[in-house]
Amino acid sequence: MTWTKDLKQGMESLKCRWDIVPYTRGKGLDCGCGPSKPFSHFIGVDNRLDTKLFEIQINPDIVADVADLSIFSSDSMDFVFSSHTLEHMKDHRKVLAEWWRVLKPEGHLVLYLPHADFYPHMGQNDANPDHHHDFLPQDIVDAMREIGSWDLLVNEERNEKEEYSFLQVYRKIADGEDFKHHLVTVHQESWSDKKPAKT
């Protein structure tokens, strides 16, 4: 569906909560958690800007800028989840790299973002005035190619019922070394592998 201002606003993460369960086990972050986290074990990080802009009550576990996770060690999280936040970041590549830094190898980066084909573009009527980007799924794949080794496990356009987004899940792969002792960056997209026919 295409977004309209008449739709119920907020709580975007609840639209994908059951689909992200396999990728959000263990200890992890909800970057830009807003008023509600998908599950209670997520560590909610938010700067509470929406409280100032829209009077939405937000009480995250940690009040911080999600672009700077320096309070967390590298390779310390099993997952990083973010819903409808990255488009608010001026330098989304830098933010993705920071979220990637805190992930353990084999951890998951789970992104749920408004789809540019289903959501008003910047400057259009009813567009969110705080958005800095209009993303298509390939825009995120291209940004991730600059960051590290990964396997894209999920790449779904979600535009049924009250969704106007896309969901991507990246599994972090530790960079290996080739025979000349140079780091090898791997980018796989197993989401596109042919699935066996149902029997």
Side-chain angles (χ1 to χ4, degrees), residues 47-76:
N47 64 4
R48 302 186 70 212
L49 180 61
D50 282 356
T51 300
K52 296 173 189 170
L53 293 178
F54 308 113
E55 298 182 3
I56 298 172
Q57 286 307 308
I58 299 175
N59 297 302
D61 300 304
I62 298 171
V63 177
D65 182 351
V66 297
D68 178 8
L69 300 178
S70 57
I71 60 173
F72 299 105
S73 300
S74 297
D75 304 328
S76 62

PDB file of all heavy atoms in Angstrom, residues 47-76:
ATOM      1  N   ASN A  47      17.293   9.173  21.066  1.00  0.00           N
ATOM      2  CA  ASN A  47      17.657  10.515  21.547  1.00  0.00           C
ATOM      3  C   ASN A  47      16.439  11.316  22.020  1.00  0.00           C
ATOM      4  O   ASN A  47      16.575  12.464  22.434  1.00  0.00           O
ATOM      5  CB  ASN A  47      18.418  11.293  20.468  1.00  0.00           C
ATOM      6  CG  ASN A  47      17.575  11.566  19.231  1.00  0.00           C
ATOM      7  OD1 ASN A  47      16.385  11.249  19.171  1.00  0.00           O
ATOM      8  ND2 ASN A  47      18.208  12.144  18.219  1.00  0.00           N
ATOM      9  N   ARG A  48      15.250  10.735  21.917  1.00  0.00           N
ATOM     10  CA  ARG A  48      13.992  11.321  22.372  1.00  0.00           C
ATOM     11  C   ARG A  48      13.609  12.583  21.582  1.00  0.00           C
ATOM     12  O   ARG A  48      12.842  13.401  22.058  1.00  0.00           O
ATOM     13  CB  ARG A  48      14.031  11.621  23.875  1.00  0.00           C
ATOM     14  CG  ARG A  48      14.308  10.390  24.725  1.00  0.00           C
ATOM     15  CD  ARG A  48      14.198  10.666  26.209  1.00  0.00           C
ATOM     16  NE  ARG A  48      12.789  10.896  26.541  1.00  0.00           N
ATOM     17  CZ  ARG A  48      12.405  11.726  27.503  1.00  0.00           C
ATOM     18  NH1 ARG A  48      13.277  12.393  28.219  1.00  0.00           N
ATOM     19  NH2 ARG A  48      11.116  11.893  27.748  1.00  0.00           N
ATOM     20  N   LEU A  49      14.115  12.715  20.362  1.00  0.00           N
ATOM     21  CA  LEU A  49      13.788  13.880  19.547  1.00  0.00           C
ATOM     22  C   LEU A  49      12.288  13.959  19.250  1.00  0.00           C
ATOM     23  O   LEU A  49      11.706  15.047  19.226  1.00  0.00           O
ATOM     24  CB  LEU A  49      14.579  13.860  18.233  1.00  0.00           C
ATOM     25  CG  LEU A  49      14.334  15.037  17.277  1.00  0.00           C
ATOM     26  CD1 LEU A  49      14.732  16.366  17.934  1.00  0.00           C
ATOM     27  CD2 LEU A  49      15.092  14.830  15.982  1.00  0.00           C
ATOM     28  N   ASP A  50      11.653  12.785  19.046  1.00  0.00           N
ATOM     29  CA  ASP A  50      10.219  12.802  18.750  1.00  0.00           C
ATOM     30  C   ASP A  50       9.389  13.318  19.919  1.00  0.00           C
ATOM     31  O   ASP A  50       8.272  13.808  19.725  1.00  0.00           O
ATOM     32  CB  ASP A  50       9.736  11.405  18.338  1.00  0.00           C
ATOM     33  CG  ASP A  50      10.098  11.081  16.898  1.00  0.00           C
ATOM     34  OD1 ASP A  50      10.647  11.962  16.211  1.00  0.00           O
ATOM     35  OD2 ASP A  50       9.822   9.951  16.453  1.00  0.00           O
ATOM     36  N   THR A  51       9.919  13.226  21.117  1.00  0.00           N
ATOM     37  CA  THR A  51       9.223  13.809  22.265  1.00  0.00           C
ATOM     38  C   THR A  51       9.180  15.327  22.111  1.00  0.00           C
ATOM     39  O   THR A  51       8.150  15.963  22.364  1.00  0.00           O
ATOM     40  CB  THR A  51       9.913  13.420  23.589  1.00  0.00           C
ATOM     41  OG1 THR A  51       9.900  11.994  23.709  1.00  0.00           O
ATOM     42  CG2 THR A  51       9.211  14.025  24.780  1.00  0.00           C
ATOM     43  N   LYS A  52      10.287  15.891  21.643  1.00  0.00           N
ATOM     44  CA  LYS A  52      10.346  17.349  21.443  1.00  0.00           C
ATOM     45  C   LYS A  52       9.534  17.777  20.215  1.00  0.00           C
ATOM     46  O   LYS A  52       8.811  18.772  20.257  1.00  0.00           O
ATOM     47  CB  LYS A  52      11.796  17.800  21.267  1.00  0.00           C
ATOM     48  CG  LYS A  52      12.673  17.571  22.481  1.00  0.00           C
ATOM     49  CD  LYS A  52      14.123  17.885  22.158  1.00  0.00           C
ATOM     50  CE  LYS A  52      15.035  17.460  23.295  1.00  0.00           C
ATOM     51  NZ  LYS A  52      16.451  17.543  22.921  1.00  0.00           N
ATOM     52  N   LEU A  53       9.640  17.025  19.122  1.00  0.00           N
ATOM     53  CA  LEU A  53       8.994  17.420  17.872  1.00  0.00           C
ATOM     54  C   LEU A  53       7.493  17.149  17.858  1.00  0.00           C
ATOM     55  O   LEU A  53       6.712  17.966  17.377  1.00  0.00           O
ATOM     56  CB  LEU A  53       9.638  16.689  16.691  1.00  0.00           C
ATOM     57  CG  LEU A  53      11.080  17.046  16.346  1.00  0.00           C
ATOM     58  CD1 LEU A  53      11.567  16.181  15.191  1.00  0.00           C
ATOM     59  CD2 LEU A  53      11.213  18.519  15.988  1.00  0.00           C
ATOM     60  N   PHE A  54       7.111  15.964  18.355  1.00  0.00           N
ATOM     61  CA  PHE A  54       5.725  15.524  18.195  1.00  0.00           C
ATOM     62  C   PHE A  54       5.021  15.212  19.511  1.00  0.00           C
ATOM     63  O   PHE A  54       3.907  14.710  19.505  1.00  0.00           O
ATOM     64  CB  PHE A  54       5.677  14.278  17.288  1.00  0.00           C
ATOM     65  CG  PHE A  54       6.394  14.453  15.984  1.00  0.00           C
ATOM     66  CD1 PHE A  54       7.544  13.723  15.706  1.00  0.00           C
ATOM     67  CD2 PHE A  54       5.934  15.340  15.028  1.00  0.00           C
ATOM     68  CE1 PHE A  54       8.216  13.874  14.497  1.00  0.00           C
ATOM     69  CE2 PHE A  54       6.589  15.492  13.810  1.00  0.00           C
ATOM     70  CZ  PHE A  54       7.729  14.765  13.553  1.00  0.00           C
ATOM     71  N   GLU A  55       5.695  15.481  20.625  1.00  0.00           N
ATOM     72  CA  GLU A  55       5.149  15.207  21.957  1.00  0.00           C
ATOM     73  C   GLU A  55       4.809  13.727  22.149  1.00  0.00           C
ATOM     74  O   GLU A  55       3.851  13.381  22.847  1.00  0.00           O
ATOM     75  CB  GLU A  55       3.933  16.090  22.232  1.00  0.00           C
ATOM     76  CG  GLU A  55       4.280  17.576  22.232  1.00  0.00           C
ATOM     77  CD  GLU A  55       3.097  18.465  22.545  1.00  0.00           C
ATOM     78  OE1 GLU A  55       2.001  17.941  22.830  1.00  0.00           O
ATOM     79  OE2 GLU A  55       3.268  19.698  22.507  1.00  0.00           O
ATOM     80  N   ILE A  56       5.587  12.852  21.514  1.00  0.00           N
ATOM     81  CA  ILE A  56       5.429  11.408  21.705  1.00  0.00           C
ATOM     82  C   ILE A  56       6.283  11.008  22.893  1.00  0.00           C
ATOM     83  O   ILE A  56       7.490  11.287  22.922  1.00  0.00           O
ATOM     84  CB  ILE A  56       5.878  10.636  20.445  1.00  0.00           C
ATOM     85  CG1 ILE A  56       4.989  11.024  19.255  1.00  0.00           C
ATOM     86  CG2 ILE A  56       5.840   9.145  20.683  1.00  0.00           C
ATOM     87  CD1 ILE A  56       5.467  10.470  17.929  1.00  0.00           C
ATOM     88  N   GLN A  57       5.698  10.366  23.867  1.00  0.00           N
ATOM     89  CA  GLN A  57       6.446   9.959  25.050  1.00  0.00           C
ATOM     90  C   GLN A  57       7.371   8.795  24.726  1.00  0.00           C
ATOM     91  O   GLN A  57       6.919   7.726  24.308  1.00  0.00           O
ATOM     92  CB  GLN A  57       5.487   9.573  26.184  1.00  0.00           C
ATOM     93  CG  GLN A  57       4.817  10.762  26.824  1.00  0.00           C
ATOM     94  CD  GLN A  57       5.834  11.820  27.292  1.00  0.00           C
ATOM     95  OE1 GLN A  57       6.781  11.526  27.994  1.00  0.00           O
ATOM     96  NE2 GLN A  57       5.627  13.065  26.865  1.00  0.00           N
ATOM     97  N   ILE A  58       8.662   9.022  24.884  1.00  0.00           N
ATOM     98  CA  ILE A  58       9.679   8.013  24.605  1.00  0.00           C
ATOM     99  C   ILE A  58      10.571   7.886  25.830  1.00  0.00           C
ATOM    100  O   ILE A  58      11.131   8.874  26.295  1.00  0.00           O
ATOM    101  CB  ILE A  58      10.527   8.402  23.369  1.00  0.00           C
ATOM    102  CG1 ILE A  58       9.622   8.499  22.137  1.00  0.00           C
ATOM    103  CG2 ILE A  58      11.640   7.397  23.140  1.00  0.00           C
ATOM    104  CD1 ILE A  58      10.317   8.996  20.892  1.00  0.00           C
ATOM    105  N   ASN A  59      10.671   6.676  26.341  1.00  0.00           N
ATOM    106  CA  ASN A  59      11.503   6.401  27.517  1.00  0.00           C
ATOM    107  C   ASN A  59      12.421   5.224  27.216  1.00  0.00           C
ATOM    108  O   ASN A  59      12.173   4.106  27.663  1.00  0.00           O
ATOM    109  CB  ASN A  59      10.618   6.115  28.736  1.00  0.00           C
ATOM    110  CG  ASN A  59       9.779   7.320  29.114  1.00  0.00           C
ATOM    111  OD1 ASN A  59      10.316   8.381  29.394  1.00  0.00           O
ATOM    112  ND2 ASN A  59       8.470   7.165  29.076  1.00  0.00           N
ATOM    113  N   PRO A  60      13.479   5.462  26.437  1.00  0.00           N
ATOM    114  CA  PRO A  60      14.374   4.363  26.064  1.00  0.00           C
ATOM    115  C   PRO A  60      15.199   3.884  27.257  1.00  0.00           C
ATOM    116  O   PRO A  60      15.296   4.564  28.279  1.00  0.00           O
ATOM    117  CB  PRO A  60      15.270   5.001  25.006  1.00  0.00           C
ATOM    118  CG  PRO A  60      15.307   6.451  25.380  1.00  0.00           C
ATOM    119  CD  PRO A  60      13.942   6.756  25.927  1.00  0.00           C
ATOM    120  N   ASP A  61      15.799   2.732  27.099  1.00  0.00           N
ATOM    121  CA  ASP A  61      16.714   2.224  28.128  1.00  0.00           C
ATOM    122  C   ASP A  61      17.944   3.117  28.229  1.00  0.00           C
ATOM    123  O   ASP A  61      18.482   3.334  29.312  1.00  0.00           O
ATOM    124  CB  ASP A  61      17.133   0.785  27.805  1.00  0.00           C
ATOM    125  CG  ASP A  61      15.933  -0.152  27.740  1.00  0.00           C
ATOM    126  OD1 ASP A  61      15.176  -0.223  28.729  1.00  0.00           O
ATOM    127  OD2 ASP A  61      15.745  -0.791  26.686  1.00  0.00           O
ATOM    128  N   ILE A  62      18.382   3.632  27.069  1.00  0.00           N
ATOM    129  CA  ILE A  62      19.552   4.505  27.014  1.00  0.00           C
ATOM    130  C   ILE A  62      19.215   5.716  26.144  1.00  0.00           C
ATOM    131  O   ILE A  62      18.812   5.556  24.987  1.00  0.00           O
ATOM    132  CB  ILE A  62      20.778   3.771  26.430  1.00  0.00           C
ATOM    133  CG1 ILE A  62      21.156   2.587  27.326  1.00  0.00           C
ATOM    134  CG2 ILE A  62      21.961   4.718  26.258  1.00  0.00           C
ATOM    135  CD1 ILE A  62      22.212   1.677  26.741  1.00  0.00           C
ATOM    136  N   VAL A  63      19.352   6.910  26.708  1.00  0.00           N
ATOM    137  CA  VAL A  63      19.141   8.131  25.920  1.00  0.00           C
ATOM    138  C   VAL A  63      20.484   8.477  25.273  1.00  0.00           C
ATOM    139  O   VAL A  63      21.442   8.839  25.961  1.00  0.00           O
ATOM    140  CB  VAL A  63      18.641   9.292  26.799  1.00  0.00           C
ATOM    141  CG1 VAL A  63      18.495  10.560  25.964  1.00  0.00           C
ATOM    142  CG2 VAL A  63      17.315   8.936  27.469  1.00  0.00           C
ATOM    143  N   ALA A  64      20.541   8.328  23.954  1.00  0.00           N
ATOM    144  CA  ALA A  64      21.791   8.572  23.227  1.00  0.00           C
ATOM    145  C   ALA A  64      21.482   8.732  21.752  1.00  0.00           C
ATOM    146  O   ALA A  64      20.419   8.332  21.272  1.00  0.00           O
ATOM    147  CB  ALA A  64      22.771   7.416  23.438  1.00  0.00           C
ATOM    148  N   ASP A  65      22.436   9.300  21.038  1.00  0.00           N
ATOM    149  CA  ASP A  65      22.358   9.433  19.590  1.00  0.00           C
ATOM    150  C   ASP A  65      22.726   8.086  18.977  1.00  0.00           C
ATOM    151  O   ASP A  65      23.815   7.568  19.227  1.00  0.00           O
ATOM    152  CB  ASP A  65      23.337  10.519  19.139  1.00  0.00           C
ATOM    153  CG  ASP A  65      23.297  10.778  17.649  1.00  0.00           C
ATOM    154  OD1 ASP A  65      22.649  10.013  16.903  1.00  0.00           O
ATOM    155  OD2 ASP A  65      23.933  11.751  17.209  1.00  0.00           O
ATOM    156  N   VAL A  66      21.846   7.512  18.161  1.00  0.00           N
ATOM    157  CA  VAL A  66      22.115   6.189  17.592  1.00  0.00           C
ATOM    158  C   VAL A  66      23.244   6.223  16.562  1.00  0.00           C
ATOM    159  O   VAL A  66      23.728   5.166  16.150  1.00  0.00           O
ATOM    160  CB  VAL A  66      20.851   5.576  16.958  1.00  0.00           C
ATOM    161  CG1 VAL A  66      19.775   5.361  18.007  1.00  0.00           C
ATOM    162  CG2 VAL A  66      20.331   6.421  15.803  1.00  0.00           C
ATOM    163  N   ALA A  67      23.693   7.404  16.173  1.00  0.00           N
ATOM    164  CA  ALA A  67      24.825   7.514  15.253  1.00  0.00           C
ATOM    165  C   ALA A  67      26.158   7.334  15.975  1.00  0.00           C
ATOM    166  O   ALA A  67      27.195   7.168  15.337  1.00  0.00           O
ATOM    167  CB  ALA A  67      24.813   8.864  14.544  1.00  0.00           C
ATOM    168  N   ASP A  68      26.133   7.350  17.299  1.00  0.00           N
ATOM    169  CA  ASP A  68      27.363   7.205  18.097  1.00  0.00           C
ATOM    170  C   ASP A  68      27.109   6.189  19.210  1.00  0.00           C
ATOM    171  O   ASP A  68      26.539   6.512  20.242  1.00  0.00           O
ATOM    172  CB  ASP A  68      27.770   8.551  18.695  1.00  0.00           C
ATOM    173  CG  ASP A  68      29.012   8.453  19.570  1.00  0.00           C
ATOM    174  OD1 ASP A  68      29.647   7.373  19.606  1.00  0.00           O
ATOM    175  OD2 ASP A  68      29.341   9.448  20.234  1.00  0.00           O
ATOM    176  N   LEU A  69      27.520   4.956  18.963  1.00  0.00           N
ATOM    177  CA  LEU A  69      27.342   3.877  19.942  1.00  0.00           C
ATOM    178  C   LEU A  69      28.648   3.583  20.673  1.00  0.00           C
ATOM    179  O   LEU A  69      28.928   2.449  21.047  1.00  0.00           O
ATOM    180  CB  LEU A  69      26.823   2.615  19.238  1.00  0.00           C
ATOM    181  CG  LEU A  69      25.479   2.749  18.519  1.00  0.00           C
ATOM    182  CD1 LEU A  69      25.114   1.436  17.835  1.00  0.00           C
ATOM    183  CD2 LEU A  69      24.382   3.186  19.469  1.00  0.00           C
ATOM    184  N   SER A  70      29.452   4.607  20.892  1.00  0.00           N
ATOM    185  CA  SER A  70      30.780   4.411  21.495  1.00  0.00           C
ATOM    186  C   SER A  70      30.708   3.869  22.916  1.00  0.00           C
ATOM    187  O   SER A  70      31.715   3.374  23.434  1.00  0.00           O
ATOM    188  CB  SER A  70      31.583   5.715  21.466  1.00  0.00           C
ATOM    189  OG  SER A  70      30.873   6.758  22.125  1.00  0.00           O
ATOM    190  N   ILE A  71      29.540   3.906  23.548  1.00  0.00           N
ATOM    191  CA  ILE A  71      29.419   3.307  24.884  1.00  0.00           C
ATOM    192  C   ILE A  71      29.399   1.781  24.809  1.00  0.00           C
ATOM    193  O   ILE A  71      29.497   1.111  25.831  1.00  0.00           O
ATOM    194  CB  ILE A  71      28.160   3.812  25.623  1.00  0.00           C
ATOM    195  CG1 ILE A  71      26.885   3.466  24.854  1.00  0.00           C
ATOM    196  CG2 ILE A  71      28.252   5.298  25.886  1.00  0.00           C
ATOM    197  CD1 ILE A  71      25.611   3.777  25.617  1.00  0.00           C
ATOM    198  N   PHE A  72      29.289   1.234  23.585  1.00  0.00           N
ATOM    199  CA  PHE A  72      29.292  -0.220  23.392  1.00  0.00           C
ATOM    200  C   PHE A  72      30.590  -0.650  22.705  1.00  0.00           C
ATOM    201  O   PHE A  72      31.055   0.007  21.776  1.00  0.00           O
ATOM    202  CB  PHE A  72      28.097  -0.660  22.544  1.00  0.00           C
ATOM    203  CG  PHE A  72      26.764  -0.322  23.157  1.00  0.00           C
ATOM    204  CD1 PHE A  72      26.007   0.731  22.664  1.00  0.00           C
ATOM    205  CD2 PHE A  72      26.276  -1.047  24.233  1.00  0.00           C
ATOM    206  CE1 PHE A  72      24.788   1.053  23.221  1.00  0.00           C
ATOM    207  CE2 PHE A  72      25.049  -0.734  24.800  1.00  0.00           C
ATOM    208  CZ  PHE A  72      24.309   0.320  24.301  1.00  0.00           C
ATOM    209  N   SER A  73      31.121  -1.769  23.146  1.00  0.00           N
ATOM    210  CA  SER A  73      32.350  -2.303  22.554  1.00  0.00           C
ATOM    211  C   SER A  73      32.080  -2.854  21.158  1.00  0.00           C
ATOM    212  O   SER A  73      30.962  -3.265  20.840  1.00  0.00           O
ATOM    213  CB  SER A  73      32.901  -3.443  23.424  1.00  0.00           C
ATOM    214  OG  SER A  73      33.182  -2.988  24.716  1.00  0.00           O
ATOM    215  N   SER A  74      33.123  -2.894  20.362  1.00  0.00           N
ATOM    216  CA  SER A  74      33.029  -3.551  19.062  1.00  0.00           C
ATOM    217  C   SER A  74      32.763  -5.038  19.268  1.00  0.00           C
ATOM    218  O   SER A  74      33.206  -5.633  20.259  1.00  0.00           O
ATOM    219  CB  SER A  74      34.331  -3.366  18.284  1.00  0.00           C
ATOM    220  OG  SER A  74      34.563  -2.006  18.022  1.00  0.00           O
ATOM    221  N   ASP A  75      32.041  -5.632  18.344  1.00  0.00           N
ATOM    222  CA  ASP A  75      31.748  -7.080  18.369  1.00  0.00           C
ATOM    223  C   ASP A  75      31.084  -7.514  19.671  1.00  0.00           C
ATOM    224  O   ASP A  75      31.376  -8.587  20.197  1.00  0.00           O
ATOM    225  CB  ASP A  75      33.027  -7.892  18.154  1.00  0.00           C
ATOM    226  CG  ASP A  75      33.753  -7.525  16.879  1.00  0.00           C
ATOM    227  OD1 ASP A  75      33.089  -7.145  15.896  1.00  0.00           O
ATOM    228  OD2 ASP A  75      34.991  -7.610  16.854  1.00  0.00           O
ATOM    229  N   SER A  76      30.193  -6.692  20.213  1.00  0.00           N
ATOM    230  CA  SER A  76      29.599  -6.996  21.512  1.00  0.00           C
ATOM    231  C   SER A  76      28.123  -7.389  21.449  1.00  0.00           C
ATOM    232  O   SER A  76      27.574  -7.867  22.426  1.00  0.00           O
ATOM    233  CB  SER A  76      29.746  -5.797  22.451  1.00  0.00           C
ATOM    234  OG  SER A  76      29.060  -4.656  21.937  1.00  0.00           O
TER     235      SER A  76
END
